[in-house]
Amino acid sequence: MSGHTHTSWAEVRAEIRANPEYGKAYEAARLRYELGRTVRERREELGLSQAELGELAGMRQPAVARFEAGGTMPTIPVLERIAGALGMKLWVELRVDSKSGEVDSAAQVGEALAAAAPAEGDDLGGDGDGGFLRGAGAKVEADRGGQPG
């Protein structure tokens, strides 16, 4: 019998969640998911296919599908095109982090969604230099014509 011990999934999960990078990655994934869900719900509400939305927003259908699934984070100009195609208005708001009371530094903000950059060849507006929307504490909402509250 070897002295090797097995770790339970609960122990592994607790260790992963204790890592500070876990929170950043989780927040980045949450933001991508929420943006994609909002676009998908509005597209379906309007009775548009992904291909039709792509045509209206100047994108290909696979890029729309990846975005709706939360797999990519487009630039603000691309989000504006998507919002316009859906009859919505993009609203971007930066807020003070309620946990620390401070706005994240540019380096921290850049790290928050670093994993969200589209794959090479995606037509989501990336410039290859980290120009994607990034921001722990950045809130992006699409407003159906009203003013932010």
Side-chain angles (χ1 to χ4, degrees):
M1 183 146 295
S2 73
H4 186 8
T5 62
H6 294 280
T7 305
S8 72
W9 170 244
E11 292 169 323
V12 171
R13 186 177 56 219
E15 185 177 322
I16 290 169
R17 288 182 175 174
N19 183 333
E21 296 301 312
Y22 170 83
K24 292 178 186 178
Y26 180 86
E27 182 61 21
R30 185 192 63 78
L31 179 59
R32 289 191 314 266
Y33 171 78
E34 288 181 6
L35 285 169
R37 184 190 67 206
T38 298
V39 167
R40 185 190 75 249
E41 288 174 356
R42 178 64 173 163
R43 176 183 59 75
E44 290 173 347
E45 182 180 302
L46 294 174
L48 295 173
S49 69
Q50 289 178 339
E52 290 168 328
L53 174 57
E55 186 174 326
L56 292 170
M59 301 168 63
R60 294 183 311 242
Q61 180 276 328
V64 173
R66 281 190 298 275
F67 174 62
E68 287 185 355
T72 60
M73 176 60 73
T75 62
I76 290 175
V78 172
L79 286 171
E80 287 174 326
R81 290 195 332 248
I82 292 169
L86 294 171
M88 302 172 91
K89 181 180 176 182
L90 179 68
W91 169 38
V92 178
E93 178 181 305
L94 299 174
R95 292 187 179 179
V96 173
D97 183 358
S98 62
K99 294 176 188 163
S100 69
E102 298 177 9
V103 176
D104 290 335
S105 72
Q108 290 170 320
V109 169
E111 291 171 8
L113 294 179
E120 189 168 325
D122 282 354
D123 55 357
L124 297 177
D127 58 12
D129 293 324
F132 294 93
L133 173 65
R134 298 186 185 348
K139 184 176 185 182
V140 181
E141 297 181 4
D143 181 39
R144 290 182 172 86
Q147 290 292 342

